[in-house]
Amino acid sequence: MMHIRRSPEEIAANRQRYEEHQKKGLEFAPPKALPAPSSLPAPAIDAAATIHQETIPGGWYWSTALKRGEALRIDQGEGGSTVALVAWNAADTSERLNLVDTVKVQWTTALGKGRVIFSDMGRVMFSLIEDSSGAHDCLMGGSTAASNAAKYPGVKSRNTRDNLVLVAGKLGLTRRDIPAILNLFAPVRVDDDGGFHWRGKLSNSGDYAELRAEMDMIVGFSNCPHPLDPDPVYAPKPVIVTRFRAPAPAVEDLSRTATAEALRGFENNASMLA
């Protein structure tokens, strides 16, 4: 890959253009469009709406089908667990989670209540309808055998990359089909120099997130420590995933109306049903 050197003046001009486009995008949404994080503790889910509940032990993985209009609650339960998530369109697995577009078109890496998560075909896969954390990582990726060996020398441990390879294999997919992952409950922040830092104070014990499905999907999870988690001991705690029937979105549903990009994404979703 050829690396193109750019002058300070060209870099400054590119940054200015970016900031102008960002301002136009953000001006669409009123200042109070996105709410504060969801309150703790998590309210009980109506038993009649519950379809399935799964406890993913520390270090393990799981996958599930998810129908449009259903939702997943991912609950730390005992706290201190990062959950890696990937997803594919159930009807066509070549369409998958795309965090680059999710960040790019919403002008932020801060995913929380009221945001949406896009596919690589410009459609909305998930709406974040509840989220007590607001501290998720969509940039770093997950742990690997090499990163675990360096971080936990001499310890036998499972890692996110290998877990997701197993998820993909059981679905008839390959390594190449695994998209970039969304790390839930991973308080990673980027400094002005582009460095990644773990901000543990942004997380709470018992944090949870609820994602409503906007298309039929297959969703995979891995419950392994994040590469930047400073805990030197490999001891991931179990997480609870509940699949349930979500209430139908209101006409002015926040996730559907907060940004112009979300509106266009849902218009693309509508084309799937036409």
Side-chain angles (χ1 to χ4, degrees):
M1 181 175 67
M2 181 180 296
H3 179 68
I4 301 174
R5 296 182 64 86
R6 302 188 186 278
S7 68
E9 293 77 15
E10 188 177 3
I11 292 171
N14 288 340
R15 179 181 290 276
Q16 182 177 351
R17 282 195 295 271
Y18 171 83
E19 290 175 348
E20 288 171 355
H21 286 297
Q22 181 186 43
K23 184 174 184 292
K24 291 178 181 178
L26 295 177
E27 281 176 350
F28 176 89
K32 296 183 179 178
L34 297 179
S38 304
S39 59
L40 290 169
I45 297 174
D46 184 353
T50 299
I51 300 169
H52 179 75
Q53 188 172 86
E54 186 81 14
T55 297
I56 307 176
W60 287 86
Y61 62 92
W62 182 62
S63 65
T64 185
L66 190 65
K67 295 290 187 181
R68 177 173 173 266
E70 296 176 352
L72 295 169
R73 174 184 286 181
I74 302 96
D75 192 335
Q76 281 189 318
E78 299 177 25
S81 295
T82 292
V83 183
L85 179 150
V86 293
W88 299 268
N89 180 339
D92 179 2
T93 53
S94 68
E95 181 174 12
R96 64 199 72 173
L97 192 77
N98 189 308
L99 295 176
V100 173
D101 287 352
T102 294
V103 168
K104 180 173 64 179
V105 303
Q106 294 180 108
W107 303 102
T108 182
T109 60
L111 301 182
K113 185 175 179 179
R115 295 292 185 189
V116 296
I117 300 172
F118 284 88
S119 78
D120 54 8
M121 295 187 182
R123 291 190 274 251
V124 178
M125 300 192 85
F126 293 105
S127 294
L128 265 162
I129 56 175
E130 297 291 345
D131 176 30
S132 68
S133 172
H136 311 300
D137 167 40
C138 51
L139 299 175
M140 276 287 297
S143 60
T144 65
S147 69
N148 274 12
K151 188 175 179 182
Y152 314 107
V155 176
K156 186 177 180 180
S157 60
R158 300 181 66 90
N159 67 83
T160 289
R161 178 62 181 174
D162 287 345
N163 277 352
L164 294 181
V165 168
L166 291 172
V167 167
K170 290 183 177 181
L171 298 172
L173 304 173
T174 70
R175 295 169 184 263
R176 293 172 64 104
D177 296 307
I178 301 171
I181 65 173
L182 172 61
N183 285 305
L184 297 170
F185 319 121
V188 175
R189 291 295 182 263
V190 184
D191 63 24
D192 292 340
D193 296 323
F196 295 92
H197 301 276
W198 186 267
R199 306 297 189 194
K201 291 183 179 180
L202 297 176
S203 295
N204 304 289
S205 179
D207 271 330
Y208 71 102
E210 292 181 4
L211 296 91
R212 182 178 63 218
E214 305 296 353
M215 64 173 69
D216 293 354
M217 285 182 284
I218 304 167
V219 186
F221 302 91
S222 173
N223 179 15
C224 293
H226 189 277
L228 289 186
D229 187 334
D231 191 341
V233 178
Y234 183 89
K237 298 178 176 62
V239 295
I240 301 169
V241 181
T242 305
R243 179 182 171 194
F244 65 99
R245 299 176 188 87
V251 173
E252 294 299 317
D253 180 74
L254 179 62
S255 294
R256 293 167 182 258
T257 58
T259 67
E261 292 77 17
L263 284 172
R264 287 195 290 271
F266 279 105
E267 289 172 357
N268 292 339
N269 280 44
S271 68
M272 297 172 65
L273 307 175

